[in-house]
Amino acid sequence: QPITSILYPYESETREVKALDGLWKFCTTPANKPPDEGFSDQWYAPNDKMDNQHCQLMPVPASYNDIPTDSSIRDYVGWAWYRKIHFVPSRWSNDDLKIFVRFGSVHYYAVVWMNGQQIGEHVGGHLPFQLEVTSALKYGSSNSLTVAVNNTLTNITLPQMQIHHPNDTSRYPPGYITYSQKFDFFNYAGIHRPVYLLALPAVHISDINLITEVEYEKNGESNTTIGNIQFLVAHTYQGSADDVMCDVSITTQGGGEVHRSITTCSSTITIRGAKLWWPRFAHARPGYLYTFEVSLLIQGRTMDVYRLPFGIRSVSWDSSVLKINHKPVYLRGFGMHEDSNLRGKGLDLVHTIRDFELIKWLGANALRTSHYPYSEEIMNMADEFGVLVIAETPACTIDSFGNEILSHHKAVLNELISRDKNHPSVIAWSIANEPYSDLPQSSSYFKTLAKLIRSRDTTRAVTFVTSRHWDNDKAVQHMDIICVNRYAAWYSDSGLLSLIERQTNEELKSWHDKWKRPIIMSEYGAGSLSGFHLLPAAMWTEDYQIMTFLKHFPAFDNLRSKGLIAGEMIWNFADFATPQEYIRPGGCMKGLMTRDRQPKAAAHLARWRYWKLAQNI
Ligand code: GCB
């Protein structure tokens, strides 16, 4: 795995960024060829061996699955090849620069060549990686970037998938392969997030770690808010540590400087009268962001400049509630998916902004990045909008806890924390969604991962999302907060709406009584087909989805009044694609929004609820 100190690719006076997004050449491996044909036939070679006969144009970023009209591409499993011809300016041929290619994410395995030279690979479909290409480039000339992408999931990938080789030739042709997945979303594939070339100073800032803490100081009648910002700036300078200093400033949104110092690159800054970052509708304007600007000085000379937006806030919790800036906050939100029509899981800024407009419209203050890390652009929006985020790994429904999956899970967590550690919006790390945490071996597995997270970050809560029974879950004991998914009157007691209130009260109280930790209802809901109505309400109608919510709300109010619940999150923000299954009419229909982001009737009810909760924080 490449090094994962992965600062967002902002430009500055010392950093140039060139987007390689747009149309790329794309080919899958023909069905009559061996799966590794592209490797043996050297499709990565600069003389463009990607056969024009079966190649086509493909937009980047996007999933490739839903764009062509051919089901063999929608359902393709194996190596797919992407190629981009691009120009590199001659001014980049400079000993003082290093050039990198940076991928926001490629699902799932990626092998990368520049001008026929393999420059690296990456495993895992949801996190960025950056590879150095300085010596592989042709400057002042055109260059050929090739990426081979493989979406095959197995028992040791996250998420996991089972591959079957049925040998019953009365039903399947010889060599036939089928796949079964436990996770409930379509395994979209391709280059999902932006691709950039970065020209960085040879000696550059490689990482920044900011930790903020908040204090209130009483001065007679008034309170002064104090923000402490502990920072660590990492760099690539190899010489003596005595040569290195950092010129650090902190500026407000209006551009005013509230701090400036030339210091060692690891220090603490105190801001009296700090404006805090708050979640939406908490105590003041949500999402206040300062800019942390740092110039790396080597023997007094500026080598690199980087500006990082950040918020001053603290996260804490007691045995029943979460606190931001030492004040209780009740989560009202949902689980989401990166999913949209035609684009699949490809980043689409139209959708990103629309989703945050809808989050604002709904009066929500929290989301979970179910069931994998979302794009950096979405995380940046959560910071801006004051949305609290439970950041989740792609470990959805894992059922085996061996060493191989553990070591990949560790790598993913390390990459996730490296990427998202500076986001004020992130309040908790979710190790997994609905693992088989009733199995005894899950205990040491989750204990190990919780320890890893705490060794890297003690400022946020550690959790995972359980669907097990409160009395037989073996892994929640290692968590700071407990997230529970439960589908009363849907997956259990289907159609029996009258049982919801009792079951929700009993269930969540039992979790709290046993563990005395903040409990979040992280999923509940019902599927509804937009426009389908029946009275009395029946499953799959919009009426039933509304009734499901209406029956949960009194239980939540009761539990909340007794300090037994710290948040409620609807499943799901919007309808999303799943594999073809007889229990799903074309996708998971539990969205408040349709897949094209228009409200279903239940969205108006959720909006009424969330605005009401927002008013009596
Ligand atoms: C769950 C899963 C989620 C599914 C949902 C459903 O428990 O966490 O990924 O989409 O149920 O609708 O089945």
Side-chain angles (χ1 to χ4, degrees):
Q1 294 274 354
I3 297 295
T4 52
S5 69
I6 201 89
L7 291 170
Y8 191 71
Y10 291 118
E11 290 179 307
S12 78
E13 49 275 57
T14 55
R15 300 177 157 235
E16 262 191 84
V17 176
K18 180 173 153 61
L20 296 183
D21 296 347
L23 294 178
W24 291 46
K25 189 168 175 180
F26 171 86
C27 316
T28 50
T29 311
N32 60 353
K33 303 275 187 191
D36 58 356
E37 172 77 2
F39 291 88
S40 50
D41 199 32
Q42 302 189 337
W43 291 2
Y44 49 82
N47 55 352
D48 197 0
K49 295 192 73 188
M50 277 167 68
D51 170 12
N52 285 320
Q53 292 257 307
H54 70 276
C55 291
Q56 62 177 103
L57 288 175
M58 190 57 76
V60 167
S63 301
Y64 57 70
N65 310 75
D66 288 349
I67 297 172
T69 53
D70 188 345
S71 68
S72 68
I73 294 195
R74 182 191 63 200
D75 303 333
Y76 183 75
V77 181
W79 289 106
W81 293 75
Y82 283 81
R83 150 84 44 98
K84 181 76 175 172
I85 305 295
H86 59 97
F87 221 85
V88 173
S90 353
R91 68 173 186 283
W92 284 9
S93 167
N94 177 337
D95 286 346
D96 291 337
L97 294 180
K98 278 190 195 296
I99 319 297
F100 297 86
V101 60
R102 184 192 198 275
F103 294 85
S105 77
V106 179
H107 188 77
Y108 182 83
Y109 301 93
V111 185
V112 183
W113 294 261
M114 186 65 83
N115 298 321
Q117 181 182 331
Q118 187 174 328
I119 53 164
E121 47 190 285
H122 183 258
V123 183
H126 311 89
L127 287 158
F129 58 99
Q130 188 166 303
L131 304 165
E132 188 175 350
V133 288
T134 316
S135 61
L137 286 173
K138 292 188 274 169
Y139 295 88
S141 168
S142 83
N143 288 263
S144 153
L145 173 62
T146 307
V147 185
V149 181
N150 198 322
N151 61 344
T152 308
L153 300 178
T154 67
N155 252 339
I156 53 162
T157 59
L158 291 177
Q160 293 173 318
M161 186 134 101
Q162 215 64 287
I163 303 179
H164 309 279
H165 301 271
N167 49 16
D168 175 357
T169 48
S170 69
R171 299 181 62 207
Y172 304 96
Y176 202 80
I177 297 177
T178 63
Y179 303 89
S180 58
Q181 57 177 67
K182 296 218 178 70
F183 58 96
D184 156 61
F185 49 93
F186 192 87
N187 186 32
Y188 280 111
I191 302 180
H192 280 160
R193 297 183 190 152
V195 185
Y196 294 110
L197 279 180
L198 310 180
L200 304 185
V203 172
H204 58 263
I205 296 162
S206 54
D207 200 8
I208 298 174
N209 197 0
L210 298 183
I211 296 175
T212 65
E213 190 37 85
V214 171
E215 289 169 47
Y216 300 105
E217 193 182 80
K218 222 166 168 41
N219 293 323
E221 286 303 280
S222 64
N223 260 336
T224 305
T225 305
I226 299 175
N228 292 312
I229 301 138
Q230 200 186 318
F231 68 87
L232 171 64
V233 177
H235 52 78
T236 61
Y237 182 63
Q238 304 281 332
S240 156
D242 297 341
D243 297 345
V244 185
M245 294 293 273
C246 280
D247 182 347
V248 173
S249 73
I250 293 182
T251 47
T252 62
Q253 273 179 355
E257 199 172 84
V258 291
H259 173 89
R260 170 95 194 263
S261 58
I262 297 185
T263 87
T264 57
C265 295
S266 165
S267 184
T268 301
I269 296 167
T270 297
I271 305 219
R272 297 182 63 80
K275 283 202 172 88
L276 301 182
W277 186 96
W278 289 105
R280 294 197 78 71
F281 314 110
H283 299 272
R285 188 208 141 129
Y288 189 87
L289 296 178
Y290 287 93
T291 300
F292 179 87
E293 175 176 330
V294 55
S295 303
L296 177 68
L297 306 178
I298 305 293
Q299 295 174 342
R301 201 173 127 223
T302 299
M303 305 304 286
D304 191 13
V305 180
Y306 191 87
R307 294 179 185 83
L308 179 71
F310 78 104
I312 300 177
R313 64 99 183 90
S314 69
V315 182
S316 53
W317 54 94
D318 59 20
S319 60
S320 52
V321 291
L322 282 159
K323 295 178 187 170
I324 302 295
N325 304 330
H326 311 292
K327 309 244 161 99
V329 59
Y330 182 74
L331 305 194
R332 29 174 227 280
F334 20 73
M336 298 180 76
H337 262 294
E338 285 183 318
D339 174 274
S340 67
N341 205 11
L342 302 180
R343 291 149 183 83
K345 293 202 177 303
L347 173 69
D348 177 299
L349 293 176
V350 173
H351 266 278
T352 303
I353 300 295
R354 172 73 177 178
D355 286 356
F356 277 89
E357 288 298 324
L358 289 169
I359 289 171
K360 195 158 85 176
W361 179 82
L362 283 161
N365 69 356
L367 64 88
R368 175 165 62 112
T369 70
S370 40
H371 297 308
Y372 38 80
Y374 290 177
S375 71
E376 292 157 289
E377 289 74 12
I378 292 178
M379 303 305 285
N380 290 343
M381 286 295 293
D383 291 347
E384 291 258 343
F385 267 69
V387 177
L388 302 165
V389 175
I390 300 176
E392 189 157 280
T393 79
C396 190
T397 337
I398 54 172
D399 61 355
S400 55
F401 302 100
N403 283 338
E404 259 184 296
I405 190 75
L406 178 63
S407 89
H408 179 54
H409 209 151
K410 282 184 183 167
V412 169
L413 268 169
N414 271 322
E415 286 183 39
L416 172 64
I417 296 169
S418 297
R419 191 194 72 162
D420 286 350
K421 61 186 179 295
N422 294 322
H423 286 288
S425 53
V426 176
I427 55 164
W429 304 110
S430 165
I431 299 175
N433 178 66
E434 298 193 356
Y436 282 53
S437 49
D438 47 348
L439 297 176
Q441 58 274 35
S442 68
S443 173
S444 69
Y445 186 93
F446 279 87
K447 186 175 178 189
T448 307
L449 293 177
K451 190 168 159 211
L452 165 76
I453 295 174
R454 292 186 182 114
S455 75
R456 296 229 22 210
D457 181 8
T458 51
T459 68
R460 295 174 171 95
V462 179
T463 191
F464 77 91
V465 174
T466 183
S467 59
R468 278 14 206 188
H469 190 259
W470 60 270
D471 211 20
N472 68 9
D473 190 294
K474 306 287 188 292
V476 291
Q477 57 177 313
H478 309 298
M479 304 297 127
D480 298 316
I481 59 179
I482 298 179
C483 295
V484 181
N485 291 353
R486 203 61 84 212
Y487 287 91
W490 188 262
Y491 288 128
S492 60
D493 299 306
S494 310
L496 303 180
L497 289 165
S498 62
L499 297 175
I500 290 177
E501 189 175 340
R502 162 189 295 270
Q503 292 184 356
T504 306
N505 269 316
E506 282 297 315
E507 162 98 31
L508 297 180
K509 180 174 182 313
S510 305
W511 280 101
H512 190 269
D513 285 353
K514 175 149 187 192
W515 295 108
K516 307 273 185 303
R517 296 183 201 174
I519 309 290
I520 294 168
M521 182 102 209
S522 41
E523 285 184 24
Y524 73 99
S528 74
L529 298 173
S530 175
F532 181 26
H533 291 276
L534 284 175
L535 196 62
M539 291 175 79
W540 294 107
T541 62
E542 294 209 43
D543 315 79
Y544 193 88
Q545 189 181 29
I546 286 180
M547 290 309 295
T548 302
F549 293 176
L550 278 175
K551 295 287 184 188
H552 277 86
F553 294 160
F556 293 151
D557 288 339
N558 171 49
L559 292 158
R560 191 175 172 223
S561 70
K562 297 179 176 146
L564 300 174
I565 182 176
E568 53 188 76
M569 304 181 89
I570 292 165
W571 188 258
N572 186 285
F573 172 72
D575 293 347
F576 59 89
T578 60
Q580 298 184 57
E581 288 170 307
Y582 53 74
I583 58 158
R584 313 241 188 241
C588 178
M589 297 295 163
K590 296 193 181 76
L592 293 170
M593 305 292 155
T594 59
R595 198 180 187 208
D596 59 0
R597 303 323 198 251
Q598 300 300 340
K600 296 188 198 166
H604 294 276
L605 175 61
R607 178 171 191 247
W608 171 82
R609 165 96 183 152
Y610 284 178
W611 278 96
K612 200 163 129 266
L613 287 172
Q615 278 149 20
N616 57 42
I617 302 142

